[in-house]
Amino acid sequence: MRRWLPWVLLALAGLAAVGGWSLYQRHQMLTRAAALLDDVDVDVSLHGVELSRGAEGRTEWRMKADAAHYAQDTGIVAVDNPRILYYLKDDGGEIAVNATSGEVDQESGNASLWPDVDIVSGPNRARAARLDYSSAERRIVLTGDVRLERPDMTLDAPRVVLHLDTNDVDADGGVQSVFFNMTVPAAGAASAAAPAKKAAAKPAKKSVKKSTKKSAKKPAAKAATKANGKE
């Protein structure tokens, strides 16, 4: 047994050396891989994503998309079928936006959506070919065959700006608008007032005729009395 002990120890030492060399090689490979990852931008693709942005305890917008692709070199998130909720100031409601595709800048919070942009806010609706949102200015710029629809009007323009903090709307160039239900109440009031005026005028005419007949009869009676007295 003692005769074999040196050989066993030598074999164990060899295995340890081989194992150490293997661990060293693995460490070197991991080190090289980490160095390569530092030099190469890694893009990430996700399915069924949800993004949001907020500041000072208030949510600015919230987005859901069927898929997203994040580019590390630009910080841009490309999304498919995005659905965004923009929140108005002081709990003034929200604006729901749907589109076919778009991009979101994670750093600035700006977003661009296209095409077939559809916007709904309460009873109001808008359609456009493209939407560009500025987080710093809190405004939405719609371009490309923009159409706004409200219960009392429709507006068509090549460019419309929606200011989210003030609820103001600016339309530029070639604006066409149609207003609904603006003259119907006035016409109805005028037609209803006209018969009332005619009905009030009729009694006045009758009283004038009666007074005229009475005044005409009295002088004739006096003239007949004088004539009888003289005879």
Side-chain angles (χ1 to χ4, degrees):
M1 290 294 295
R2 292 181 179 179
R3 196 184 308 174
W4 293 98
L5 183 60
W7 295 101
V8 172
L9 293 176
L10 182 62
L12 291 175
L15 290 175
V18 172
W21 176 254
S22 177
L23 291 175
Y24 174 76
Q25 285 185 325
R26 182 177 298 179
H27 175 71
Q28 291 297 318
M29 292 177 62
L30 292 175
T31 303
R32 293 192 193 97
L36 290 174
L37 289 176
D38 290 337
D39 297 333
V40 177
D41 292 327
V42 178
D43 297 341
V44 179
S45 296
L46 301 172
H47 294 277
V49 298
E50 180 173 349
L51 302 174
S52 63
R53 180 181 175 87
E56 300 178 356
R58 184 188 67 172
T59 303
E60 182 180 344
W61 54 261
R62 190 181 305 275
M63 184 195 72
K64 292 182 179 181
D66 293 345
H69 181 79
Y70 175 69
Q72 187 177 3
D73 57 341
T74 60
I76 300 297
V77 181
V79 292
D80 296 334
N81 296 322
R83 301 171 296 280
I84 303 182
L85 288 178
Y86 290 103
Y87 295 97
L88 302 179
K89 189 177 180 181
D90 299 331
D91 296 330
E94 59 190 30
I95 296 178
V97 181
N98 296 327
T100 303
S101 59
E103 292 180 346
V104 178
D105 190 329
Q106 283 283 77
E107 183 176 355
S108 65
N110 298 340
S112 297
L113 307 178
W114 69 88
D116 303 326
V117 178
D118 186 83
I119 301 174
V120 177
S121 177
N124 306 321
R125 190 165 192 169
R127 295 182 179 87
R130 183 182 176 90
L131 178 150
D132 291 290
Y133 170 73
S134 172
S135 178
E137 299 178 352
R138 287 281 292 163
R139 71 173 189 172
I140 292 175
V141 179
L142 303 176
T143 53
D145 298 327
V146 184
R147 183 177 182 86
L148 301 181
E149 297 178 354
R150 298 192 338 186
D152 59 344
M153 65 165 291
T154 60
L155 183 145
D156 295 283
R159 183 176 182 270
V160 172
V161 181
L162 308 177
H163 301 274
L164 302 185
D165 287 343
T166 60
N167 291 332
D168 293 334
V169 178
D170 298 330
D172 301 334
V175 179
Q176 296 181 353
S177 57
V178 178
F179 294 87
F180 306 112
N181 299 327
M182 298 298 292
T183 59
V184 172
S191 60
K197 291 182 179 179
K198 291 181 180 179
K202 288 181 180 179
K205 290 182 179 179
K206 290 181 179 178
S207 61
V208 171
K209 288 181 180 180
K210 289 181 180 178
S211 60
T212 304
K213 290 180 180 179
K214 289 181 180 179
S215 60
K217 287 180 180 179
K218 287 181 179 179
K222 290 182 180 180
T225 304
K226 289 182 179 179
N228 294 331
K230 287 182 180 181
E231 292 176 354

